[in-house]
Amino acid sequence: PVFETGGATVVLEESDLPFEEDILRNPYHVKSWTRYVLHKTNNKAQKQVINLIYERALKELPGSYKLWYNYLKLRRLQIKGKVIPDPEFEDVNNAFERSLVFMHKMPRIWLEYAQFLMDQCKVTRTRHTFDRALRSLAITQHDRIWPLYLKFVRRHDLPETGMRVYRRYLKLFPENAEEFVDYLKKINRLDEAALKMAEILNTEKFTSKHGKSHHQLWMELCELMCKNPDQVKGLKVEAIIRCGLERFHNEAGSLWCALAEYQTRSGHFEKARDVYEEAVNTVMTARDFGQVFDAFAQFEETMIEGKFEMNAELGEDDEDQVDLDIRLRRLEELMDRRPLLLNSVLLRQNPHNVHEWLKRVDLFKGKPREVINTFAEAVRTVDPKQATGKPHILWVNFAKFYEENKQLNEARSIFKLAVAVPLRHVDDLATVWCEYGEMELRHENYDQARLVMRESTAMPKERAAYHDQSALVQHRVFRSLKLWSMHADLEESLGTFHTTKAVYNRILDLGIASPQTVINFGLFLEENNYFEEAFKAYERGVALFKWPNVYDIWNTYLTKFIERYGGRKLERARDLFEQCFESCPDKFAKNLYLLYAKLEEQHGLARHAMAVYDRATKAVLPEERFEMFCIYIQRASDIFGVTHTREIHENAIEALPDDGARKMCLKYAELERKLGEIDRSRALFMHGSQLADPRAHSSFWKAWQDFEVAHGNEDTYRELLRIKRSVQAQYNTAVFGGLAKDMD
C-alpha cells in the first residue's frame, strides 16, 4: 500500500501494517512510535523512511524529549564523515532549531547543538547559540553550559570576545577567577591579568581552587608586574611591592629583587641601584641579604658588560672611559662593603649581640673615628639585660682603644661610665673594675690603682646580698671576691702591712673568703713574723668553712703550727688535731693522722703515737686500711721491736676484708718464719688459706708450698694438699650453689 502523509509518499510493507495500526490507535503513545522506528532500523530501512517516521511522530508529539533527542542523535550519525559544506548539515541545524521551539528548557539539547555548531566551525552562530541557551535556561542549569562555552572561547583566538565571556562567567562563579587570569596570560593581556589578580588579593574571602596561599598569589602578581613593566600600566607596582614587604617579612629578599628588576626592565637603572642600596640596608636576615647582594652584584656586572659592548660597537671616548671606571669602582666598593653590610644585617636582627658589635669594630680597624663611633653606638644600644654575650667587654675594649692611643683621661672616663652601667652579673662589673685597676698598673700609676680598688670595694649606701637578682649590681659588687683578691694583691705588693691586714680582715668579716684567701692571709702574716695572728686567721677560716673545703686550711694550719712550735705547745697541738678529727671525713683522714703521729713520735710519747696509728686504721677509707696497717706495723717495729707487732698483725687480720687479711697473713707468716716460729707461721698459712681460692690466688698457695718445702715434712705437705682440696671444694660448692639459686 502507498499512503500520502504530509506531502510525502510512504510505501508500506506487509510487516509495517501492525505498527501502522498501532499508531493509528495510539497516535500519542511514545512507545508505539519508538517500536515502529526500531522495527524499521532492524529491517535496515532507508534513512529517509526512518526520518519520515520521526517527523510523523514529532508532529503528533512535539513535546517529547525522548523523540527529539533520539531523532537529533540519528540525524547527526547520518551525516558523520561528510564534508561541512554539505547541505545536510544545514538540515540538521534546522532540525535542532525546530526542536528548541519545544525543548528550549532542556540543557542537553542546547549542549548537543552547540557542540555540533562548534564542529562546523560556525563561530558567531555558536556564540549566539550559547547566549540563547543561557537566556533560556534557569540559572541553576547554567553550570552545565559554561564549561563548553569556555572551551569554545579558548579554542578560538578572539581575545575581546573571550574577555567579555569570562567576565559574564565570573559574575556567576567568582571563585574561578584564577582561570580567567590564566586565560588573560595566555592571550597576552597582562595588564588585565594584573588588575584581576589585584582584585583577587583584595577579596579577603577568596579561596584558591588550586590550593595557593595568599602569599603565593602575592608573589605571582609581583613576578607578573616586574617581568612585564611595559605592559602592566594599570597598577602602582612599587607601592604594591612595598606593601608586600611590610606584610611578608620572610620573602623580603625576593620582593626587593623583584622591585629592582622592575626598575631595571623599565630602563630606570639609577632607581634600580637605589632600590638595591635600600634593600641591603634594610633586610633583616642573612638569607635575604645574600639573595639581594648577589642580585646587586650581578646587576653591576651586567651594567659593566653592557657598557663594554656599547663601547665596542660605537667606539670609546674619554667620557665613556670615565663612566666605565666609575662603574668598576662601584662594583669593587660594593664587594669591599659586603662584610660590613652583613654585619649590619645581623645587628638589625639582634641589636644586643655583643659579638657582632666587636666584629664591626674589627671591620673598622685602622679608622679611629669609625671605631669610636661604633663603640659609642654599641654601648648606647646594647641593653645588658637582653644582651647576647658579655656587654661589659664592649666597655673594656672601648677604654683599651683609648689606652692604646695614649689617651688615658678618655679611657678613665669610659671606665667611670662603665662602672655605673646596670650590668646583668656582679662578676661582669667586678671585671670592669679590675680592668680599670690593671690599666693604671700598666702605666705605673700605682697610687691611682689602689684608689680605684678602694673605690670598687667601698661599702655602698644601699646594700644587698650577692645573689639578690632584684638589686643592682652596684649594690652587690662590694661582696665580690674577685675585687677583694685584687685589692689584697695590690696592698700586699704596694701598700703597708696594716692596710693589707685590714683588707684581709674585711674579706673575712664579709664572709666571702675562699680557703685559698685564708691560706694567703696566714702566709702573709707569717712572712711578717706575726705567727699568732696567722694562727688566728686560720682559726677564722676553719670556722667559716666545712669539710671538704676546710681540708687545705687544716692541713696548712697544723703543718705551720708544728713547724713553729714543735713540741713546745704539744697539748695545744693535740687539741687542734682532736678538733680537726671531730668531723673529718674518711677521705681526708690519712694524711692528717700521719701528721699527728709524726708529731707524737718526734715530740711526744711513743705509746701516744701508736694510739694515733691505731685510731688511723679505723678512721681511714676501707681501701686505705691495709696501707695504714702496714705503716702502723713498720713504725711499731722501728720503735718497739718486731715482737711488738704481733698484736697489730692479729688486729689487722681480724679488721681487714678478705683480700687485705690474706695479704696480712702472708706478711705475718713471713715475719714468724724469720723469727724461727715455724709452727706459728704454718698456723697463719692455715688461717689465711680459708680466704684464698686456689684458682684465683695461686700466689698464696705457692708461698705456702715453698714454705713447706723449706721447713716442713711429708706429713705437713700432705696436710697442705688436703686443706687445698678442701678449700677448693668449698669454693666450688659456693659457686654451684649460687648458680642453682639463680636458675631457680
Side-chain angles (χ1 to χ4, degrees):
V2 178
F3 296 92
E4 295 287 336
T5 303
T9 303
V10 179
V11 180
L12 295 178
E13 297 177 359
E14 196 70 32
S15 60
D16 296 338
L17 292 176
F19 294 100
E20 285 289 342
E21 292 174 358
D22 187 20
I23 60 175
L24 284 173
R25 287 194 300 269
N26 302 301
Y28 305 113
H29 196 212
V30 176
K31 285 187 177 181
S32 299
W33 291 104
T34 54
R35 282 197 294 266
Y36 194 5
V37 170
L38 183 60
H39 163 70
K40 299 300 285 184
T41 304
N42 292 337
N43 289 333
K44 299 182 180 179
Q46 294 181 352
K47 64 180 182 179
Q48 292 86 353
V49 175
I50 298 174
N51 291 348
L52 186 56
I53 295 171
Y54 268 118
E55 290 289 347
R56 289 170 61 196
L58 291 168
K59 186 176 181 180
E60 300 294 338
L61 295 165
S64 172
Y65 172 77
K66 185 175 183 179
L67 288 174
W68 276 115
Y69 182 77
N70 290 333
Y71 179 39
L72 295 172
K73 183 178 179 182
L74 176 64
R75 293 296 299 270
R76 290 200 308 276
L77 287 172
Q78 289 171 354
I79 63 171
K80 189 174 182 180
K82 294 186 177 183
V83 295
I84 292 175
D86 194 303
E88 288 194 33
F89 276 92
E90 193 59 35
D91 292 340
V92 178
N93 292 340
N94 292 334
F96 269 109
E97 291 291 345
R98 285 189 290 116
S99 72
L100 290 171
V101 173
F102 303 99
M103 298 289 106
H104 59 278
K105 295 297 182 183
M106 299 298 173
R108 184 75 255 169
I109 302 296
W110 284 109
L111 290 171
E112 296 290 350
Y113 186 23
Q115 184 64 56
F116 187 60
L117 291 174
M118 287 170 62
D119 294 340
Q120 298 175 61
C121 299
K122 295 181 180 296
V123 178
T124 303
R125 189 169 179 178
T126 305
R127 179 170 57 82
H128 289 165
T129 301
F130 276 120
D131 292 341
R132 285 165 57 201
L134 291 170
R135 285 195 298 271
S136 300
L137 294 170
I139 195 169
T140 55
Q141 294 178 319
H142 284 195
D143 59 328
R144 299 184 63 183
I145 303 298
W146 277 113
L148 187 61
Y149 198 176
L150 296 177
K151 180 181 178 183
F152 160 73
V153 167
R154 289 193 295 269
R155 179 184 290 182
H156 301 284
D157 186 16
L158 301 169
E160 198 62 39
T161 301
M163 289 167 60
R164 290 175 185 271
V165 170
Y166 263 107
R167 289 194 189 103
R168 289 166 57 197
Y169 171 63
L170 291 180
K171 288 180 181 178
L172 187 60
F173 302 104
E175 66 273 11
N176 294 327
E178 287 178 282
E179 190 177 338
F180 184 27
V181 171
D182 294 338
Y183 175 72
L184 291 170
K185 290 180 181 178
K186 180 181 176 182
I187 64 175
N188 206 31
R189 295 296 181 95
L190 301 181
D191 190 31
E192 188 78 21
L195 288 169
K196 194 63 189 176
M197 288 190 72
E199 182 183 335
I200 290 172
L201 289 167
N202 289 330
T203 306
E204 294 183 1
K205 296 182 179 179
F206 180 81
T207 303
S208 171
K209 283 197 168 183
H210 300 306
K212 295 179 181 178
S213 65
H214 202 64
H215 168 258
Q216 287 175 306
L217 293 172
W218 255 101
M219 299 307 294
E220 285 185 13
L221 175 60
C222 291
E223 184 179 1
L224 178 64
M225 294 186 301
C226 296
K227 291 189 175 180
N228 305 280
D230 52 336
Q231 296 187 52
V232 180
K233 303 292 185 183
L235 293 174
K236 295 180 180 179
V237 178
E238 185 169 354
I240 290 174
I241 294 178
R242 289 189 179 276
C243 179
L245 285 168
E246 294 177 3
R247 295 180 64 180
F248 306 113
H249 300 292
N250 58 331
E251 290 291 343
S254 301
L255 291 171
W256 278 115
C257 291
L259 180 56
E261 184 181 4
Y262 169 75
Q263 299 290 2
T264 303
R265 288 178 181 269
S266 301
H268 304 147
F269 301 118
E270 290 302 322
K271 284 187 177 180
R273 185 175 288 109
D274 292 341
V275 169
Y276 279 123
E277 283 289 348
E278 184 181 356
V280 296
N281 285 294
T282 55
V283 292
M284 298 295 291
T285 65
R287 179 178 65 86
D288 290 338
F289 172 78
Q291 190 175 357
V292 172
F293 186 86
D294 292 342
F296 194 4
Q298 187 177 0
F299 166 78
E300 293 289 2
E301 290 172 0
T302 304
M303 296 294 292
I304 293 170
E305 289 174 5
K307 190 65 178 176
F308 271 121
E309 292 174 1
M310 186 183 297
N311 291 347
E313 291 177 4
L314 304 177
E316 185 178 343
D317 56 18
D318 293 341
E319 186 176 346
D320 292 334
Q321 184 60 42
V322 171
D323 185 39
L324 186 60
D325 290 342
I326 291 173
R327 292 170 190 256
L328 289 169
R329 178 60 185 161
R330 194 178 282 152
L331 178 60
E332 291 175 3
E333 184 181 352
L334 176 64
M335 302 310 290
D336 292 340
R337 287 165 55 205
R338 189 182 190 283
L340 191 60
L341 290 171
L342 179 58
N343 179 261
S344 299
V345 170
L346 297 174
L347 285 176
R348 282 195 295 275
Q349 195 174 10
N350 180 11
H352 307 290
N353 191 329
V354 175
H355 178 66
E356 291 300 328
W357 280 111
L358 294 175
K359 283 177 64 176
R360 191 173 185 83
V361 170
D362 291 337
L363 291 173
F364 283 124
K365 194 172 184 179
K367 299 177 181 178
R369 187 177 298 278
E370 284 79 359
V371 171
I372 292 171
N373 291 337
T374 302
F375 270 124
E377 184 181 0
V379 297
R380 191 167 53 248
T381 303
V382 174
D383 182 357
K385 305 297 182 185
Q386 305 177 39
T388 302
K390 298 181 178 180
H392 70 280
I393 295 177
L394 287 171
W395 289 98
V396 171
N397 288 1
F398 195 3
K400 283 184 177 179
F401 176 76
Y402 277 119
E403 181 190 357
E404 290 168 0
N405 288 275
K406 300 180 180 179
Q407 297 182 19
L408 288 183
N409 290 332
E410 285 76 4
R412 291 189 184 103
S413 300
I414 296 299
F415 275 122
K416 288 177 182 177
L417 291 172
V419 297
V421 173
L423 297 171
R424 197 183 332 177
H425 303 296
V426 175
D427 192 60
D428 295 346
L429 181 58
T431 301
V432 175
W433 278 112
C434 290
E435 291 288 348
Y436 189 5
E438 288 174 5
M439 182 193 75
E440 298 293 355
L441 288 176
R442 283 194 293 271
H443 295 276
E444 300 181 359
N445 298 324
Y446 302 124
D447 292 338
Q448 185 67 29
R450 292 172 64 197
L451 287 174
V452 167
M453 298 317 298
R454 285 175 192 168
E455 184 181 355
S456 68
T457 54
M459 192 74 68
K461 293 180 180 179
E462 298 181 24
R463 305 168 196 170
Y466 184 85
H467 296 289
D468 184 3
Q469 298 296 329
S470 61
L472 292 173
V473 290
Q474 282 77 8
H475 299 160
R476 298 183 280 151
V477 73
F478 74 97
R479 293 182 178 276
S480 171
L481 179 60
K482 186 175 185 178
L483 278 181
W484 282 104
S485 296
M486 183 172 176
H487 192 185
D489 290 343
L490 279 180
E491 292 297 339
E492 194 170 340
S493 302
L494 305 171
T496 63
F497 169 78
H498 295 291
T499 58
T500 307
K501 180 182 175 184
V503 170
Y504 275 117
N505 281 325
R506 186 63 182 148
I507 294 173
L508 293 174
D509 291 340
L510 289 172
I512 60 173
S514 67
Q516 189 59 48
T517 306
V518 175
I519 293 171
N520 290 345
F521 187 21
L523 293 176
F524 167 74
L525 292 170
E526 185 181 348
E527 288 173 2
N528 288 275
N529 297 323
Y530 287 84
F531 297 103
E532 282 301 325
E533 292 284 343
F535 297 148
K536 288 180 181 179
Y538 291 134
E539 288 285 352
R540 293 181 68 182
V542 167
L544 278 176
F545 297 99
K546 296 181 179 180
W547 292 93
N549 298 321
V550 77
Y551 170 74
D552 290 328
I553 300 176
W554 271 120
N555 194 23
T556 306
Y557 182 15
L558 295 171
T559 303
K560 294 295 183 182
F561 189 88
I562 293 171
E563 288 179 1
R564 172 65 179 166
Y565 292 114
R568 286 176 291 168
K569 296 188 177 182
L570 190 57
E571 286 303 320
R572 182 178 170 185
R574 287 172 177 164
D575 290 342
L576 289 176
F577 275 109
E578 293 301 330
Q579 182 184 347
C580 174
F581 291 143
E582 282 179 3
S583 56
C584 179
D586 298 350
K587 183 178 178 180
F588 304 99
K590 179 182 174 183
N591 291 336
L592 295 175
Y593 270 105
L594 291 177
L595 187 64
Y596 189 11
K598 185 177 180 181
L599 170 69
E600 291 292 353
E601 287 181 21
Q602 293 178 348
H603 306 288
L605 300 174
R607 59 185 179 84
H608 285 176
M610 294 301 104
V612 171
Y613 281 122
D614 186 55
R615 287 172 60 190
T617 59
K618 300 179 180 66
V620 297
L621 292 171
E623 55 267 25
E624 293 178 343
R625 286 185 179 179
F626 179 79
E627 183 182 359
M628 199 69 231
F629 268 112
C630 291
I631 296 172
Y632 183 12
I633 291 167
Q634 182 63 43
R635 299 310 302 154
S637 174
D638 293 342
I639 296 172
F640 296 108
V642 175
T643 55
H644 190 76
T645 64
R646 283 176 172 156
E647 184 180 354
I648 303 172
H649 277 99
E650 291 169 4
N651 292 336
I653 292 170
E654 184 177 349
L656 289 173
D658 289 354
D659 192 47
R662 184 180 59 256
K663 294 178 182 178
M664 191 57 68
C665 283
L666 283 175
K667 290 175 64 68
Y668 193 10
E670 180 63 19
L671 173 66
E672 294 293 354
R673 186 189 65 80
K674 290 179 179 178
L675 294 175
E677 297 288 345
I678 303 302
D679 292 337
R680 288 177 63 86
S681 180
R682 183 176 291 111
L684 285 168
F685 275 118
M686 289 181 181
H687 178 76
S689 66
Q690 303 303 312
L691 309 174
D693 183 356
R695 292 168 300 180
H697 309 106
S698 57
S699 58
F700 178 88
W701 296 95
K702 179 70 168 58
W704 192 4
Q705 287 178 358
D706 293 342
F707 170 79
E708 293 297 348
V709 168
H711 305 285
N713 53 40
E714 185 177 348
D715 293 335
T716 58
Y717 195 83
R718 188 179 293 112
E719 182 67 12
L720 181 152
L721 295 176
R722 185 191 67 77
I723 293 173
K724 184 175 182 180
R725 285 193 301 272
S726 173
V727 171
Q728 188 161 356
Q730 179 183 348
Y731 276 99
N732 288 341
T733 303
V735 170
F736 287 127
L739 289 173
K741 187 176 181 181
D742 292 340
M743 290 175 67
D744 291 341

